[in-house]
Amino acid sequence: MEIKEAITKAKNKEQIAFNFLLDTFWNDVYSFQLNRTHNENDAEDITIQTFSKAFDKIDTYKQEYKFKTWLITISKNIHIDLVRKQKKTINNTSKDNDDNYLEIIDDSPTPEDKIITEQNLAKLLRDIKKLKPHYQEVINLRYFQELSYKEISEELKEPINNVKVKLLRAKKLLAEIITKS
Protein backbone atom coordinates (compact mmCIF):
# COMPACT_ATOMS: atom_id res chain seq x y z
CA MET A 1 0.00 0.00 0.00
CA GLU A 2 1.32 3.46 -0.87
CA ILE A 3 1.10 6.39 1.53
CA LYS A 4 -1.34 8.40 -0.63
CA GLU A 5 -3.57 5.34 -0.97
CA ALA A 6 -3.40 4.73 2.79
CA ILE A 7 -4.35 8.34 3.51
CA THR A 8 -7.35 8.10 1.19
CA LYS A 9 -8.44 4.85 2.84
CA ALA A 10 -7.87 6.36 6.30
CA LYS A 11 -10.14 9.25 5.36
CA ASN A 12 -12.74 6.55 4.64
CA LYS A 13 -12.10 5.18 8.17
CA GLU A 14 -10.50 1.91 6.99
CA GLN A 15 -8.64 0.39 9.96
CA ILE A 16 -5.97 -1.29 7.84
CA ALA A 17 -4.93 2.13 6.51
CA PHE A 18 -4.59 3.53 10.04
CA ASN A 19 -2.41 0.54 10.97
CA PHE A 20 -0.25 1.05 7.86
CA LEU A 21 0.25 4.77 8.61
CA LEU A 22 1.00 4.06 12.26
CA ASP A 23 3.57 1.40 11.35
CA THR A 24 5.12 3.57 8.65
CA PHE A 25 5.52 6.77 10.66
CA TRP A 26 5.71 5.62 14.29
CA ASN A 27 9.52 5.62 14.46
CA ASP A 28 9.78 9.07 12.84
CA VAL A 29 7.43 10.72 15.32
CA TYR A 30 8.78 8.78 18.31
CA SER A 31 12.41 9.66 17.45
CA PHE A 32 11.46 13.31 17.02
CA GLN A 33 9.86 13.37 20.46
CA LEU A 34 12.65 11.40 22.10
CA ASN A 35 15.10 14.05 20.90
CA ARG A 36 12.86 16.78 22.34
CA THR A 37 11.89 15.21 25.67
CA HIS A 38 14.85 12.92 26.41
CA ASN A 39 12.32 10.66 28.12
CA GLU A 40 11.05 7.42 26.57
CA ASN A 41 7.69 7.44 28.38
CA ASP A 42 6.95 11.06 27.48
CA ALA A 43 8.03 10.48 23.89
CA GLU A 44 5.76 7.44 23.63
CA ASP A 45 2.78 9.20 25.21
CA ILE A 46 3.15 12.22 22.93
CA THR A 47 3.55 9.95 19.90
CA ILE A 48 0.33 8.12 20.76
CA GLN A 49 -1.46 11.44 21.26
CA THR A 50 -0.07 12.59 17.91
CA PHE A 51 -1.51 9.63 16.02
CA SER A 52 -4.78 9.87 17.91
CA LYS A 53 -5.16 13.53 16.98
CA ALA A 54 -3.97 12.93 13.41
CA PHE A 55 -6.45 10.10 12.87
CA ASP A 56 -9.25 12.20 14.36
CA LYS A 57 -8.35 15.11 12.06
CA ILE A 58 -7.29 13.08 8.98
CA ASP A 59 -9.94 14.88 6.92
CA THR A 60 -8.06 18.17 7.41
CA TYR A 61 -4.83 16.80 5.91
CA LYS A 62 -3.93 18.47 2.61
CA GLN A 63 -2.12 16.39 -0.04
CA GLU A 64 0.27 19.23 -0.97
CA TYR A 65 2.13 18.67 2.32
CA LYS A 66 4.15 15.61 3.23
CA PHE A 67 2.25 13.42 5.66
CA LYS A 68 5.33 13.00 7.86
CA THR A 69 5.71 16.79 8.15
CA TRP A 70 2.04 17.09 9.10
CA LEU A 71 2.47 14.46 11.82
CA ILE A 72 5.65 16.08 13.17
CA THR A 73 3.88 19.45 13.34
CA ILE A 74 1.02 17.93 15.32
CA SER A 75 3.54 16.22 17.59
CA LYS A 76 5.51 19.42 18.14
CA ASN A 77 2.32 21.33 19.07
CA ILE A 78 1.26 18.64 21.55
CA HIS A 79 4.68 18.83 23.20
CA ILE A 80 4.54 22.65 23.39
CA ASP A 81 1.09 22.46 25.01
CA LEU A 82 2.38 19.98 27.60
CA VAL A 83 5.39 22.17 28.43
CA ARG A 84 3.11 25.21 28.85
CA LYS A 85 0.82 23.22 31.14
CA GLN A 86 3.80 22.12 33.26
CA LYS A 87 5.09 25.69 33.56
CA LYS A 88 1.71 26.85 34.89
CA THR A 89 2.13 24.59 37.94
CA ILE A 90 5.19 26.55 39.16
CA ASN A 91 4.92 30.11 40.53
CA ASN A 92 7.82 32.46 41.17
CA THR A 93 7.26 33.86 44.66
CA SER A 94 10.45 35.91 44.98
CA LYS A 95 10.05 39.33 46.54
CA ASP A 96 13.34 40.65 45.23
CA ASN A 97 15.48 39.91 42.22
CA ASP A 98 18.43 38.47 44.17
CA ASP A 99 16.68 35.49 45.70
CA ASN A 100 14.44 33.32 43.59
CA TYR A 101 12.03 31.11 45.46
CA LEU A 102 9.78 28.76 43.56
CA GLU A 103 6.55 27.51 45.01
CA ILE A 104 5.03 24.36 43.60
CA ILE A 105 1.28 24.73 43.41
CA ASP A 106 -0.40 22.16 45.63
CA ASP A 107 -2.57 20.06 43.36
CA SER A 108 -3.38 17.45 45.98
CA PRO A 109 -7.09 16.68 46.09
CA THR A 110 -9.39 18.05 48.76
CA PRO A 111 -11.80 15.66 50.54
CA GLU A 112 -14.55 16.87 48.18
CA ASP A 113 -12.33 16.13 45.19
CA LYS A 114 -11.74 12.60 46.47
CA ILE A 115 -15.49 11.91 46.76
CA ILE A 116 -16.09 13.28 43.26
CA THR A 117 -13.21 11.16 41.94
CA GLU A 118 -14.64 8.01 43.53
CA GLN A 119 -18.07 8.72 42.01
CA ASN A 120 -16.48 9.42 38.62
CA LEU A 121 -14.44 6.21 38.85
CA ALA A 122 -17.59 4.16 39.52
CA LYS A 123 -19.27 5.75 36.49
CA LEU A 124 -16.14 5.20 34.39
CA LEU A 125 -16.08 1.51 35.33
CA ARG A 126 -19.74 1.18 34.28
CA ASP A 127 -18.90 2.87 30.96
CA ILE A 128 -15.89 0.60 30.40
CA LYS A 129 -18.17 -2.43 30.84
CA LYS A 130 -20.15 -1.20 27.80
CA LEU A 131 -17.08 -1.80 25.58
CA LYS A 132 -16.37 -5.08 23.81
CA PRO A 133 -14.35 -7.48 26.01
CA HIS A 134 -11.06 -7.10 24.10
CA TYR A 135 -11.23 -3.31 24.55
CA GLN A 136 -12.07 -3.72 28.25
CA GLU A 137 -9.07 -5.97 28.64
CA VAL A 138 -6.57 -3.60 27.05
CA ILE A 139 -7.85 -0.63 29.11
CA ASN A 140 -7.68 -2.72 32.27
CA LEU A 141 -4.12 -3.85 31.55
CA ARG A 142 -2.87 -0.35 30.73
CA TYR A 143 -4.66 1.88 33.21
CA PHE A 144 -5.66 -0.31 36.13
CA GLN A 145 -2.81 -2.82 36.16
CA GLU A 146 -0.43 -0.13 34.81
CA LEU A 147 1.37 -2.48 32.44
CA SER A 148 3.69 -1.11 29.76
CA TYR A 149 2.85 -1.57 26.10
CA LYS A 150 5.50 -4.26 25.91
CA GLU A 151 4.00 -6.14 28.87
CA ILE A 152 0.50 -5.87 27.38
CA SER A 153 1.89 -7.12 24.06
CA GLU A 154 3.37 -10.16 25.81
CA GLU A 155 0.20 -10.76 27.83
CA LEU A 156 -2.06 -10.64 24.78
CA LYS A 157 0.48 -12.26 22.45
CA GLU A 158 0.02 -9.42 19.94
CA PRO A 159 2.51 -7.01 18.35
CA ILE A 160 3.08 -3.75 20.25
CA ASN A 161 1.67 -1.62 17.44
CA ASN A 162 -1.57 -3.65 17.49
CA VAL A 163 -1.81 -3.04 21.24
CA LYS A 164 -1.31 0.71 20.72
CA VAL A 165 -3.97 0.86 18.02
CA LYS A 166 -6.39 -1.24 20.08
CA LEU A 167 -5.86 1.03 23.08
CA LEU A 168 -6.29 4.10 20.92
CA ARG A 169 -9.54 2.71 19.51
CA ALA A 170 -10.74 1.69 23.00
CA LYS A 171 -10.14 5.19 24.33
CA LYS A 172 -12.04 6.75 21.41
CA LEU A 173 -14.98 4.38 21.87
CA LEU A 174 -14.97 5.02 25.61
CA ALA A 175 -14.94 8.77 25.02
CA GLU A 176 -17.99 8.39 22.75
CA ILE A 177 -19.80 6.38 25.43
CA ILE A 178 -18.95 8.97 28.08
CA THR A 179 -20.16 11.91 26.00
CA LYS A 180 -23.45 10.13 25.25
CA SER A 181 -24.20 9.38 28.89
Side-chain angles (χ1 to χ4, degrees):
M1 185 181 314
E2 286 188 30
I3 293 168
K4 285 185 179 185
E5 178 189 356
I7 292 167
T8 303
K9 288 182 177 185
K11 285 182 176 185
N12 292 325
K13 309 294 183 216
E14 293 184 30
Q15 183 62 43
I16 195 157
F18 290 125
N19 291 346
F20 173 81
L21 293 170
L22 184 86
D23 289 341
T24 304
F25 294 104
W26 176 269
N27 289 338
D28 295 320
V29 177
Y30 177 77
S31 298
F32 174 77
Q33 279 306 325
L34 193 56
N35 286 333
R36 287 177 70 98
T37 64
H38 305 289
N39 180 307
E40 290 179 6
N41 289 331
D42 289 347
E44 191 168 274
D45 287 344
I46 294 169
T47 302
I48 290 169
Q49 289 177 42
T50 299
F51 281 97
S52 176
K53 190 168 194 172
F55 292 162
D56 284 344
K57 305 288 184 187
I58 192 89
D59 291 331
T60 66
Y61 170 72
K62 295 184 176 113
Q63 294 281 348
E64 63 259 23
Y65 302 107
K66 287 191 170 197
F67 192 72
K68 177 180 168 182
T69 305
W70 186 67
L71 284 172
I72 295 293
T73 303
I74 292 171
S75 183
K76 182 177 79 174
N77 290 338
I78 290 171
H79 181 246
I80 289 168
D81 289 346
L82 288 173
V83 169
R84 282 185 189 140
K85 194 183 286 184
Q86 288 170 347
K87 283 183 180 178
K88 284 183 182 178
T89 62
I90 298 177
N91 283 346
N92 189 339
T93 60
S94 64
K95 303 288 186 245
D96 53 42
N97 292 337
D98 296 332
D99 296 323
N100 282 330
Y101 299 98
L102 297 177
E103 175 186 293
I104 306 296
I105 296 172
D106 183 12
D107 283 337
S108 58
T110 64
E112 294 86 5
D113 291 336
K114 288 179 183 175
I115 291 170
I116 291 169
T117 301
E118 287 172 11
Q119 290 173 342
N120 288 341
L121 181 60
K123 184 188 178 318
L124 178 63
L125 290 172
R126 284 192 303 271
D127 288 341
I128 289 172
K129 289 191 187 303
K130 294 176 184 174
L131 293 171
K132 291 182 180 176
H134 61 278
Y135 290 137
Q136 289 179 31
E137 181 178 33
V138 75
I139 285 181
N140 177 38
L141 292 171
R142 180 69 176 158
Y143 297 106
F144 294 100
Q145 295 184 32
E146 297 182 350
L147 298 183
S148 69
Y149 293 109
K150 184 175 188 234
E151 292 168 328
I152 295 170
S153 171
E154 291 167 0
E155 174 87 16
L156 299 177
K157 295 176 180 52
E158 291 185 23
I160 284 183
N161 282 344
N162 285 11
V163 168
K164 291 175 183 173
V165 170
K166 192 181 283 188
L167 189 60
L168 187 68
R169 179 69 35 112
K171 290 190 319 191
K172 285 181 187 176
L173 292 170
L174 184 58
E176 288 174 15
I177 291 169
I178 290 169
T179 55
K180 287 178 185 174
S181 56

